[in-house]
Structure formats: structure tokens, C-alpha cells
Amino acid sequence: MTNSFYRIVSVSAHAAVYKAAEYFKINIVRVPTDEHGQMNVAAVKRALSRRTILIYASAPTYPHGVIDPIEELSDIALGQRCCLHVDACLGGFILPFLSGREIESHVPKFDFSLAGVTSMSLDTHKYGYAQKGSSVVLYSTSVLRQFQYTSVADWTGGLYISPTPAGSRSGGLIAQTWAAMLHMGREGYSRVAHEIIESAIKLRKAVADTDGLELIGRHATMVVAWRTTDRTNNVYVLNDILSSKGWRLAVLQNPSALHFCITPANISSVDALIDDLKQAVQTSRTLDKIPGGKAPIYGLAHGLPDRGVVKELLRDIQDLMLQNV
Ligand SMILES: *Cc1c(COP(=O)(O)O)cnc(C)c1O
């Protein structure tokens, strides 16, 4: 059972929105991305209805590191009188610290400077360099924020309030997050952001210059994604070859692709990745698969037309993970 409210998300929106939609019984209407990997504005307009409560955009997207056309979406949200959430989980501590020209076009507006943006999420546990478990949601007005509060006035246990979905939480985590932010400071965030984007530009150039590879995504952000362009070069085999050399890339689907997410921990390895990637492309052209590789599994899992079966498999994997051994 879902209630009859809809939110509009791009196919590249983070999977966490499906979790939220399942919890709150909200329907999701998915729109495709355009050739730059950005949320397709025309498709968003077509998908709107009186029941639309929220448009969900990313700055940038997890799969391809692309910043959605949030300026245009802001106008649409204002016209429709619906909310616009900007998922800046990845970009929240990077984009504000860039001066502009670095991401090849420019850093488009993506935040509350746009009147239609009603909420934003930023992960302190990613580029805020705090521990996992801490994250931030921001609202454009305190009136909107009130909708996430719980207040119980007639409970036997007394008066009860809880401002977040999570109940009791560790103050240590909040202190650690605060300490991480103070330690980094504006200067620290700015320095790291520039280093990451410089490396991303270098990796993007190497991918673009490699015969057989094609970049996905128009912006140079921390996520660099690519696919293979000729049939003799299977991207999952390419991944297996890179895995055998110790690289752990994210494996994407629709289209089949890989991405590398640059962080302070791996930034010094980007040159080595470029060398290995160029070599791996040559090797993968001559191979169908490599022994012990996962390419057949990815090929099967991503190619199965019955997504329900894959969903069940994923549920079983979670059972296995939580089982006592
Ligand atoms: C990490 C991430 C999220 C949320 O992930 P959690 O692990 O649930 O914190 C949402 N959107 C994007 C773009 C992300 O990268």
C-alpha cells in the first residue's frame, strides 16, 4: 500500500530515496537523464501532477558525479508549489569550496540561493571527514523542519520529544563531527576540494584520451565514471582486471559502467590508476573473462529482466550477513 503522493527523482538519484519512499509509502516517479547524465528537465515537467510533493535532485549524483540542473528545477518547483530537495551528500563539503571554473563548465547554483530549494542533505561522514553515523539535513524554513519533529503530550512516561527519525544517539558522534569540522576549517575543506577536483580533471582527461573508453557525466567532481565503447571490451571484465591489481571501483548499471570516487585517502594513487587503467583496457580486449572474476555474475545480475528475482537475492544476502556464524 502506498498513499497517493508522488515524488519525482532521476534514475541517477541515490538508492536511499527508495528506502525513504518505502518507509513513508510514497510513490516514486523516475525520470531519465539526458546525454550529459543530468536529470531531464522536460521529463520532469511531463511527470508533474497535482499529487507531486517533492522533486529530488543531486549535487552531484552518486553514479556519475553530475550536478542536476537545479536552477531550472527550482523554477519548476516554485511554479508547481512543491518541495525541491537537493541531495548534496557528496558535494556539500566540496562544491561550496570551489571558486567556479574547476568543474569544466562552472559550479552551477545548487543551494538555498535558489528560492525553490526547500531542503538539502550533506554528509559530514563523507567529505566533512567525520565518522559514519553523522549527517545533516537542512531546511529553508523552520516551519518545514517542524514536520520532522515528534511531540507526545499524553504519554504515561511524561512529555516526549524527538527531533529526528533516530531516537537516542551518541553525543560523542556529534562532538567528533564538530571536532572534524573545526580541525579542517574553511581552509582545509577548500584545499582538499581543489586537490580532489584537480585529480578528477586529470583522471577524466586520461579516460577521454583512452581509445575504447568514454566518460559519463559533464562535470569534473569527485566521481569519475566511464563505460567501454567497443563490444570486444566488456566493462565488467575490465573491472575484474583492475580488481586483480588491487583496485576497488564501483560497478554501475544502465548503462554498465565503472566509477572511481576520489578521496583524500586515494588521491595519491590516481596516477597509478591511470597507468593500470590504460593497460587493463588493452588486456580486456583480448579476454572474455578472467579466472575467478565476477564479470559473469555482474553480467547476469544486471541483465536479468526479472528485477524481482534480483531483489529477492539481495534480501537473502542481507539475511546471510546478519546470520550468526
Ligand atoms: C552517500 C550518499 C547518500 C546517503 O548515503 P548514506 O550511506 O545513507 O548516508 C545519499 N546520496 C548520495 C549522493 C550519497 O553519495
Side-chain angles (χ1 to χ4, degrees):
M1 252 267 301
T2 56
N3 64 36
S4 42
F5 294 117
Y6 298 90
R7 72 168 78 185
I8 296 176
V9 306
S10 152
V11 290
S12 59
H14 192 274
V17 300
Y18 300 95
K19 186 167 151 184
E22 281 182 20
Y23 285 171
F24 294 106
K25 303 199 183 335
I26 294 166
N27 287 313
I28 283 190
V29 180
R30 272 201 288 198
V31 301
T33 49
D34 64 16
E35 71 274 20
H36 302 298
Q38 283 180 305
M39 197 167 181
N40 187 319
V41 173
V44 171
K45 284 185 184 156
R46 281 196 299 276
L48 289 169
S49 85
R50 279 190 304 120
R51 298 191 174 281
T52 303
I53 52 170
L54 179 137
I55 301 170
Y56 185 104
S58 308
T61 61
Y62 167 83
H64 310 131
V66 173
I67 301 164
D68 282 326
I70 294 165
E71 238 171 305
E72 287 162 89
L73 294 172
S74 166
D75 289 342
I76 293 174
L78 286 173
Q80 185 75 14
R81 297 175 59 91
C82 69
C83 295
L84 170 61
H85 179 75
V86 175
D87 174 352
C89 284
L90 280 177
F93 285 87
I94 298 278
L95 301 182
F97 298 98
L98 299 174
S99 50
R101 65 194 161 71
E102 291 89 348
I103 63 165
E104 287 184 358
S105 45
H106 64 294
V107 181
K109 282 191 185 167
F110 68 97
D111 57 15
F112 293 122
S113 61
L114 297 168
V117 176
T118 48
S119 59
M120 295 183 65
S121 47
L122 350 172
D123 277 346
T124 39
H125 77 75
K126 288 181 184 155
Y127 292 93
Y129 310 116
Q131 278 182 9
K132 291 222 191 301
S134 80
S135 186
V136 179
V137 59
L138 303 171
Y139 295 96
S140 57
T141 68
S142 55
V143 174
L144 270 178
R145 187 174 58 193
Q146 287 199 353
F147 288 99
Q148 85 164 44
Y149 298 169
T150 303
S151 331
V152 183
D154 54 359
W155 176 42
T156 350
L159 302 178
Y160 179 88
I161 56 170
S162 182
T164 60
S168 306
R169 289 184 306 153
S170 160
L173 193 54
I174 296 170
Q176 193 273 339
T177 303
W178 179 239
M181 290 175 72
L182 286 189
H183 175 74
M184 290 298 294
R186 276 176 192 274
E187 235 170 71
Y189 285 128
S190 170
R191 178 178 43 80
V192 178
H194 281 89
E195 284 169 11
I196 286 172
I197 300 306
E198 269 164 38
S199 285
I201 290 172
K202 197 197 278 181
L203 178 55
R204 283 171 66 85
K205 186 169 182 321
V207 169
D209 291 348
T210 303
D211 189 34
L213 296 185
E214 184 180 69
L215 272 174
I216 310 179
R218 71 184 300 183
H219 300 123
T221 61
M222 70 296 284
V223 172
V224 179
W226 62 85
R227 61 183 154 206
T228 48
T229 50
D230 44 69
R231 274 221 256 128
T232 53
N233 189 354
N234 180 321
V235 78
Y236 301 136
V237 174
L238 179 68
N239 179 54
D240 282 342
I241 297 166
L242 288 166
S243 293
S244 72
K245 296 184 183 212
W247 299 102
R248 296 289 175 269
L249 285 90
V251 180
L252 314 174
Q253 56 180 341
N254 304 327
S256 303
L258 301 174
H259 92 203
F260 187 73
C261 184
I262 301 171
T263 70
N266 63 26
I267 198 164
S268 61
S269 310
V270 169
D271 285 338
L273 173 64
I274 290 172
D275 290 344
D276 283 349
L277 178 61
K278 285 183 188 275
Q279 224 174 28
V281 170
Q282 297 308 322
T283 316
S284 70
R285 284 204 166 112
T286 63
L287 294 173
D288 279 345
K289 56 176 184 289
I290 72 166
K294 295 201 182 92
I297 298 173
Y298 281 121
L300 182 71
H302 292 175
L304 265 182
D306 185 349
R307 303 319 286 168
V309 170
V310 181
K311 233 178 128 123
E312 264 177 50
L313 267 171
L314 294 177
R315 190 166 306 152
D316 291 346
I317 289 171
Q318 292 175 82
D319 268 345
L320 280 174
M321 283 163 58
L322 296 174
Q323 216 169 60
N324 282 332
V325 278

